[in-house]
Amino acid sequence: MFVEALRALLETDERVDVVATADNGIDAIDLATTALPDVVLVDLTLPGLDGVETTRRLVEDLPGMRVVVLSGRAEDAGAALEAGASRFLAKGGLHGEIADAIVAAHLAA
């Protein structure tokens, strides 16, 4: 439900083009490898392969891609950034903040 709500919000921002969504880390990596987006938005609470490991694998396998990580816990920022995330956002942020972080990560590439 969170994914669909976030997708709907992001699709209203003309700066962001949502190319795919995934419900778990393995699918996220597979989709990123196929779609080759500039930026991947990863939730740290993914089922199966968690968001930290998903981030690590995305950064290692697709070095030009940027990863923006979302979490409900601010204390997760260190682990996300250590795994290679370009940016960390606390859940509950405003849509504009999320879109701004995606755009900033893209521009930093």
Side-chain angles (χ1 to χ4, degrees):
M1 192 156 129
F2 175 75
V3 172
E4 290 307 316
L6 184 57
R7 180 185 186 124
L9 283 172
L10 289 173
E11 286 178 339
T12 66
D13 192 311
E14 63 187 36
R15 303 172 299 164
V16 177
D17 183 21
V18 178
V19 296
T21 60
D23 294 327
N24 63 70
I26 296 296
D27 288 350
I29 293 167
D30 289 345
L31 285 169
T33 301
T34 303
L36 298 174
D38 297 321
V39 180
V40 176
L41 187 61
V42 174
D43 188 328
L44 285 189
T45 60
L46 291 171
L49 190 65
D50 70 21
V52 171
E53 186 58 27
T54 298
T55 298
R56 184 174 287 110
R57 289 188 189 182
L58 286 168
V59 170
E60 288 174 2
D61 295 349
L62 303 159
M65 187 176 300
R66 300 292 184 241
V67 178
V68 174
V69 170
L70 286 172
S71 176
R73 299 169 5 130
E75 60 269 20
D76 291 335
L81 296 171
E82 188 176 300
S86 298
R87 303 211 183 272
F88 177 87
L89 296 172
K91 281 185 184 175
L94 300 175
H95 160 256
E97 290 176 281
I98 296 170
D100 289 347
I102 291 169
V103 171
H106 168 71
L107 293 176

